[in-house]
Amino acid sequence: QPLVTMLTSSSEEAQTRASGALWHLSSSTSAQGLIAAADGIELLVRLLTSKRVPAANHAACALYHLASNNSNKDAIVKAGGIVPLVSLLGRTQSPEAQDACAALLADLARQSGVKGSIVHSGGIKHLVQLLEQGSSTAQKHAACALWGLASEPNYQNAVANAGAVPHLVKVMTSNEKAQGYATAALCNLAHDAEARRQITAEGGVEPLIVLSHGPPSWLQSQAVGILALLDITAPKPHGGGGLAA
């Protein structure tokens, strides 16, 4: 309770230290319940907009841990956490905070009522930037978030026009952690004519053919689905081979 109370301090240093402590404590399931019961989620959401970026970073990382509980996810959304999470993703340089924001948005993007908030607050642009410049983990979360957003037909063209396709194709062939999510995002996007054009233009067909001839799996089914939408019948491979790094 004292640490949660410190989040409202007039001292930015106190806010930063308290949010840092709560970040580490929030990895404990028992502490998560105590933080939520002390109204910590709402105060951490407020701190996401702090001008002191380290405090905002700590708040995002704490919220990421807290979101492992479904009721806490709902509380983050109810507290208005989507817009400040997107905003922080666009201004932080912290790899930990980038990972936390992208992971939270990826998780919350599966909820139909949240997708619009992410899109209209500029989330697509920041997620595409992470695909291009983020760590391998951030790329995974960004691809997952774009997969969730692109499951809504109304947002597929917006994702394609934001330049996501070239980066998703690159991630699909270079980042094993993110490969599945990138392919799934492309499968959703392939319902859009502009995205289909870009997948072909960016050299996505060949690696998709390789994946389509892999062992039966969710990843393989996504590749087959994209090729079907591209109206491409994959030829049988003449020999072994894998995706180029």
Side-chain angles (χ1 to χ4, degrees), residues 119 149-159:
V119 171
L149 295 177
S151 67
E152 170 56 57
N154 291 336
Y155 301 138
Q156 289 166 0
N157 188 254
V159 173

Side-chain angles (χ1 to χ4, degrees), residues 98 124-136 138-140 142-143 146 162-164 166-168 170-171 174-175:
Q98 288 178 341
I124 293 175
K125 175 182 72 174
H126 298 319
L127 291 166
V128 170
Q129 288 174 345
L130 268 193
L131 282 178
E132 181 181 12
Q133 303 170 358
S135 67
S136 61
Q139 288 178 338
K140 177 184 76 171
L146 290 169
H167 300 302
L168 286 168
K170 183 176 180 180
V171 167
S174 65
N175 184 341

